[in-house]
Amino acid sequence: MITMLVTYAGDEQTPFDRDHWINVHFPLVRDSWGPYGLVSAGGFFPQGDGAGLIAVGVVNFRDAAAMEAALNSPETAQVMADVDIVTALKPQRSLVKPL
């Protein structure tokens, strides 16, 4: 399995529709990328002083080939367009190396 972290940097003043992200965006991600090998997708909101990361998505794929297939799929355009409804921030992607 390979894990992709999707992070959003901002502060307490940064507009971010948490309800849409959890209740609309993640179901869209699961429906869009499930056929390509998505295992799970969810997110959380780090606690802290309001600076730095305001949201973290954790997206697990069967393997690197499944992740590449999903990211290169036609459905990805809709997934990314939905991010624009959540926030004007551009997410950063990083991979978690398996132990």
Side-chain angles (χ1 to χ4, degrees), residues 52-79:
L53 295 179
I54 60 171
V56 177
V58 181
V59 187
N60 295 299
F61 292 93
R62 181 180 60 241
D63 53 31
M67 181 184 70
E68 289 301 317
L71 292 175
N72 291 315
S73 72
E75 292 87 351
T76 295
Q78 185 178 5
V79 169

Short mmCIF file of all heavy atoms in Angstrom, two decimals, residues 52-79:
data_model
loop_
_atom_site.label_atom_id
_atom_site.label_comp_id
_atom_site.label_asym_id
_atom_site.label_seq_id
_atom_site.Cartn_x
_atom_site.Cartn_y
_atom_site.Cartn_z
N GLY A 52 0.06 27.20 10.30
CA GLY A 52 0.59 25.98 9.69
C GLY A 52 -0.45 25.20 8.95
O GLY A 52 -1.22 25.75 8.17
N LEU A 53 -0.52 23.90 9.18
CA LEU A 53 -1.48 23.04 8.48
C LEU A 53 -2.87 23.20 9.08
O LEU A 53 -3.04 23.14 10.29
CB LEU A 53 -1.06 21.58 8.57
CG LEU A 53 0.26 21.22 7.88
CD1 LEU A 53 0.55 19.74 8.07
CD2 LEU A 53 0.22 21.58 6.41
N ILE A 54 -3.85 23.40 8.20
CA ILE A 54 -5.24 23.51 8.68
C ILE A 54 -6.06 22.26 8.35
O ILE A 54 -7.12 22.06 8.93
CB ILE A 54 -5.94 24.78 8.16
CG1 ILE A 54 -6.00 24.80 6.64
CG2 ILE A 54 -5.23 26.02 8.69
CD1 ILE A 54 -6.87 25.93 6.08
N ALA A 55 -5.57 21.44 7.41
CA ALA A 55 -6.27 20.20 7.06
C ALA A 55 -5.28 19.24 6.43
O ALA A 55 -4.35 19.66 5.73
CB ALA A 55 -7.42 20.47 6.09
N VAL A 56 -5.49 17.94 6.71
CA VAL A 56 -4.64 16.89 6.16
C VAL A 56 -5.53 15.77 5.64
O VAL A 56 -6.34 15.22 6.39
CB VAL A 56 -3.66 16.33 7.22
CG1 VAL A 56 -2.83 15.20 6.62
CG2 VAL A 56 -2.78 17.43 7.79
N GLY A 57 -5.39 15.45 4.36
CA GLY A 57 -6.08 14.31 3.78
C GLY A 57 -5.13 13.13 3.73
O GLY A 57 -3.94 13.29 3.44
N VAL A 58 -5.65 11.95 4.05
CA VAL A 58 -4.86 10.72 4.02
C VAL A 58 -5.52 9.80 3.00
O VAL A 58 -6.65 9.36 3.20
CB VAL A 58 -4.79 10.06 5.40
CG1 VAL A 58 -3.94 8.80 5.35
CG2 VAL A 58 -4.28 11.04 6.45
N VAL A 59 -4.82 9.54 1.89
CA VAL A 59 -5.38 8.79 0.78
C VAL A 59 -4.49 7.57 0.54
O VAL A 59 -3.31 7.71 0.23
CB VAL A 59 -5.46 9.67 -0.48
CG1 VAL A 59 -6.18 8.96 -1.60
CG2 VAL A 59 -6.14 11.02 -0.17
N ASN A 60 -5.07 6.39 0.72
CA ASN A 60 -4.32 5.14 0.59
C ASN A 60 -4.70 4.42 -0.70
O ASN A 60 -5.89 4.21 -0.97
CB ASN A 60 -4.61 4.22 1.77
CG ASN A 60 -4.10 4.81 3.07
OD1 ASN A 60 -2.92 5.04 3.22
ND2 ASN A 60 -4.99 5.07 4.00
N PHE A 61 -3.67 4.03 -1.44
CA PHE A 61 -3.85 3.28 -2.68
C PHE A 61 -3.24 1.89 -2.52
O PHE A 61 -2.32 1.69 -1.73
CB PHE A 61 -3.17 3.99 -3.85
CG PHE A 61 -3.81 5.29 -4.23
CD1 PHE A 61 -3.36 6.48 -3.69
CD2 PHE A 61 -4.88 5.32 -5.10
CE1 PHE A 61 -3.94 7.69 -4.04
CE2 PHE A 61 -5.48 6.52 -5.45
CZ PHE A 61 -5.02 7.71 -4.91
N ARG A 62 -3.71 0.97 -3.32
CA ARG A 62 -3.21 -0.41 -3.32
C ARG A 62 -1.70 -0.44 -3.53
O ARG A 62 -0.98 -1.16 -2.86
CB ARG A 62 -3.94 -1.21 -4.40
CG ARG A 62 -3.54 -2.66 -4.51
CD ARG A 62 -4.31 -3.39 -5.62
NE ARG A 62 -4.06 -2.76 -6.92
CZ ARG A 62 -5.00 -2.20 -7.69
NH1 ARG A 62 -6.27 -2.20 -7.32
NH2 ARG A 62 -4.69 -1.65 -8.83
N ASP A 63 -1.22 0.38 -4.49
CA ASP A 63 0.20 0.45 -4.80
C ASP A 63 0.45 1.71 -5.63
O ASP A 63 -0.48 2.46 -5.93
CB ASP A 63 0.68 -0.81 -5.53
CG ASP A 63 -0.14 -1.14 -6.77
OD1 ASP A 63 -0.67 -0.22 -7.43
OD2 ASP A 63 -0.26 -2.35 -7.09
N ALA A 64 1.71 1.93 -5.97
CA ALA A 64 2.07 3.14 -6.72
C ALA A 64 1.40 3.19 -8.09
O ALA A 64 0.99 4.26 -8.56
CB ALA A 64 3.59 3.23 -6.87
N ALA A 65 1.25 2.05 -8.75
CA ALA A 65 0.60 2.01 -10.06
C ALA A 65 -0.86 2.43 -9.95
O ALA A 65 -1.38 3.15 -10.82
CB ALA A 65 0.72 0.62 -10.68
N ALA A 66 -1.53 2.01 -8.88
CA ALA A 66 -2.94 2.40 -8.67
C ALA A 66 -3.04 3.90 -8.45
O ALA A 66 -3.94 4.56 -8.97
CB ALA A 66 -3.52 1.63 -7.49
N MET A 67 -2.12 4.45 -7.67
CA MET A 67 -2.12 5.90 -7.43
C MET A 67 -1.93 6.66 -8.73
O MET A 67 -2.66 7.62 -9.02
CB MET A 67 -1.04 6.27 -6.43
CG MET A 67 -1.01 7.76 -6.13
SD MET A 67 0.34 8.22 -5.03
CE MET A 67 1.73 7.97 -6.13
N GLU A 68 -0.96 6.25 -9.53
CA GLU A 68 -0.71 6.92 -10.81
C GLU A 68 -1.92 6.82 -11.73
O GLU A 68 -2.29 7.79 -12.40
CB GLU A 68 0.54 6.35 -11.48
CG GLU A 68 1.82 6.73 -10.79
CD GLU A 68 2.04 8.23 -10.73
OE1 GLU A 68 1.79 8.94 -11.73
OE2 GLU A 68 2.45 8.71 -9.66
N ALA A 69 -2.54 5.65 -11.78
CA ALA A 69 -3.73 5.47 -12.62
C ALA A 69 -4.85 6.40 -12.17
O ALA A 69 -5.52 7.03 -13.00
CB ALA A 69 -4.18 4.01 -12.59
N ALA A 70 -5.05 6.49 -10.86
CA ALA A 70 -6.11 7.36 -10.35
C ALA A 70 -5.82 8.82 -10.65
O ALA A 70 -6.69 9.55 -11.14
CB ALA A 70 -6.27 7.15 -8.84
N LEU A 71 -4.59 9.26 -10.37
CA LEU A 71 -4.25 10.67 -10.59
C LEU A 71 -4.29 11.07 -12.06
O LEU A 71 -4.56 12.22 -12.39
CB LEU A 71 -2.87 10.97 -10.01
CG LEU A 71 -2.78 10.90 -8.48
CD1 LEU A 71 -1.34 11.10 -8.03
CD2 LEU A 71 -3.70 11.92 -7.83
N ASN A 72 -4.07 10.10 -12.94
CA ASN A 72 -4.10 10.38 -14.38
C ASN A 72 -5.46 10.08 -15.02
O ASN A 72 -5.61 10.21 -16.24
CB ASN A 72 -3.01 9.59 -15.09
CG ASN A 72 -1.64 10.12 -14.73
OD1 ASN A 72 -1.41 11.31 -14.73
ND2 ASN A 72 -0.71 9.22 -14.41
N SER A 73 -6.44 9.72 -14.22
CA SER A 73 -7.75 9.36 -14.74
C SER A 73 -8.56 10.61 -15.11
O SER A 73 -8.30 11.70 -14.59
CB SER A 73 -8.53 8.55 -13.71
OG SER A 73 -8.94 9.38 -12.63
N PRO A 74 -9.56 10.46 -15.96
CA PRO A 74 -10.43 11.59 -16.31
C PRO A 74 -11.19 12.12 -15.09
O PRO A 74 -11.51 13.31 -15.04
CB PRO A 74 -11.41 11.01 -17.34
CG PRO A 74 -10.84 9.70 -17.77
CD PRO A 74 -9.88 9.25 -16.72
N GLU A 75 -11.44 11.28 -14.10
CA GLU A 75 -12.19 11.69 -12.91
C GLU A 75 -11.43 12.69 -12.04
O GLU A 75 -12.03 13.42 -11.26
CB GLU A 75 -12.57 10.45 -12.07
CG GLU A 75 -13.56 9.53 -12.71
CD GLU A 75 -12.93 8.49 -13.63
OE1 GLU A 75 -11.71 8.56 -13.92
OE2 GLU A 75 -13.67 7.59 -14.07
N THR A 76 -10.12 12.73 -12.20
CA THR A 76 -9.32 13.64 -11.38
C THR A 76 -9.69 15.10 -11.62
O THR A 76 -9.63 15.90 -10.68
CB THR A 76 -7.81 13.38 -11.60
OG1 THR A 76 -7.53 12.06 -11.13
CG2 THR A 76 -6.95 14.36 -10.86
N ALA A 77 -10.09 15.46 -12.80
CA ALA A 77 -10.50 16.84 -13.07
C ALA A 77 -11.67 17.24 -12.17
O ALA A 77 -11.70 18.36 -11.63
CB ALA A 77 -10.87 17.01 -14.54
N GLN A 78 -12.62 16.35 -11.99
CA GLN A 78 -13.77 16.64 -11.13
C GLN A 78 -13.34 16.72 -9.66
O GLN A 78 -13.81 17.57 -8.91
CB GLN A 78 -14.86 15.59 -11.30
CG GLN A 78 -16.11 15.90 -10.52
CD GLN A 78 -17.20 14.86 -10.73
OE1 GLN A 78 -17.01 13.85 -11.38
NE2 GLN A 78 -18.36 15.12 -10.14
N VAL A 79 -12.44 15.83 -9.24
CA VAL A 79 -11.93 15.86 -7.87
C VAL A 79 -11.25 17.19 -7.60
O VAL A 79 -11.50 17.84 -6.57
CB VAL A 79 -10.96 14.68 -7.62
CG1 VAL A 79 -10.23 14.84 -6.29
CG2 VAL A 79 -11.71 13.35 -7.66
#
